Amino acid sequence: MDPAAWLAESEERAVYALHENEPGDPRYRRFLEKLAAPLLERLPPGAQGVDFGCGPGPALAAMIEEQGHTVTLYDPAFFPDVTVLNRNWDFVTCTEVVEHLHHPLAVFRQLDAMLRPGGWLGVMTCFQTDDSRFANWHYRRDPTHIVFYREETFRWLASHFGWTLTIPRKDVALLQKPA
């Protein structure tokens, strides 16, 4: 999206506050399971990670913690502890986050720096797949969604950072940093 069309930070935050992402909501948990299940299959016991852009209701973090892992929260609007960004993690999750990034490549560099060797980056976003339907695509109409990704985008990112890419499910990318 043209930067001139981006919402102001306060306007973005107001939209995010409207999201009903409750950790106990079974429908929301089913949605997040698309990322949680394949990531959990790959994590070593007792892994430590960060839910990057977790929003006000960190349901994914709760789901991962229920499986014996430790999850630290980071969200610039709701959990803004930037010291989280200067540590190394076994995994980082970004569910419905990357489409909001003003400077995506810089953030992916930051995420790479946060991962320990062999660590996992789990991303969930609605992949853009049909140019002919883009103008009317529901995902594009959200005013906070300013950048869109295709599976090819994740292949490029994996190649650029030396990561291994797995697409275990629709709209989910798992990227592993080399050990």
Side-chain angles (χ1 to χ4, degrees):
M1 178 185 289
D2 181 346
W6 294 351
L7 296 178
E9 187 176 321
S10 62
E11 293 170 314
E12 270 188 279
R13 180 182 247 186
V15 171
Y16 302 150
L18 296 174
H19 292 177
E20 295 182 18
N21 301 339
E22 294 300 320
D25 180 347
R27 289 177 299 144
Y28 188 49
R29 283 177 163 252
R30 273 193 305 280
F31 173 71
L32 294 174
E33 190 67 24
K34 287 173 46 176
L35 173 67
L39 178 63
L40 286 165
E41 291 171 1
R42 291 162 171 83
L43 295 180
Q48 297 180 342
V50 62
D51 189 357
F52 184 93
C54 61
L60 181 64
M63 293 167 65
I64 294 171
E65 286 185 332
E66 289 163 4
Q67 300 304 311
H69 305 288
T70 302
V71 183
T72 299
L73 306 177
Y74 174 75
D75 188 289
F78 302 101
F79 297 91
D81 180 2
V82 294
T83 63
V84 169
L85 307 176
N86 299 317
R87 294 183 45 204
N88 291 115
W89 305 95
D90 299 312
F91 66 92
V92 175
T93 58
C94 297
T95 53
E96 300 299 314
V97 170
V98 297
E99 63 276 6
H100 302 273
L101 301 177
H102 291 185
H103 305 286
L105 188 55
V107 173
F108 279 104
R109 277 191 197 105
Q110 182 177 40
L111 296 171
D112 180 59
M114 291 168 61
L115 288 172
R116 291 183 177 123
W120 289 94
L121 172 59
V123 178
M124 188 165 78
T125 186
C126 196
F127 291 5
Q128 198 275 326
T129 60
D130 188 347
D131 291 342
S132 68
R133 295 173 42 187
F134 184 75
N136 294 315
W137 186 31
H138 77 283
Y139 209 65
R140 186 198 67 80
R141 290 194 310 263
D142 182 321
T144 66
H145 292 179
I146 61 173
V147 62
F148 305 96
Y149 301 80
R150 299 174 182 263
E151 190 172 316
E152 302 92 78
T153 311
F154 288 103
R155 282 197 293 272
W156 184 91
L157 286 165
S159 175
H160 181 77
F161 288 102
W163 297 331
T164 301
L165 170 66
T166 303
I167 306 285
R169 300 198 177 148
K170 180 183 179 306
D171 300 332
V172 174
L174 295 179
L175 302 131
Q176 187 177 33
K177 186 172 183 163

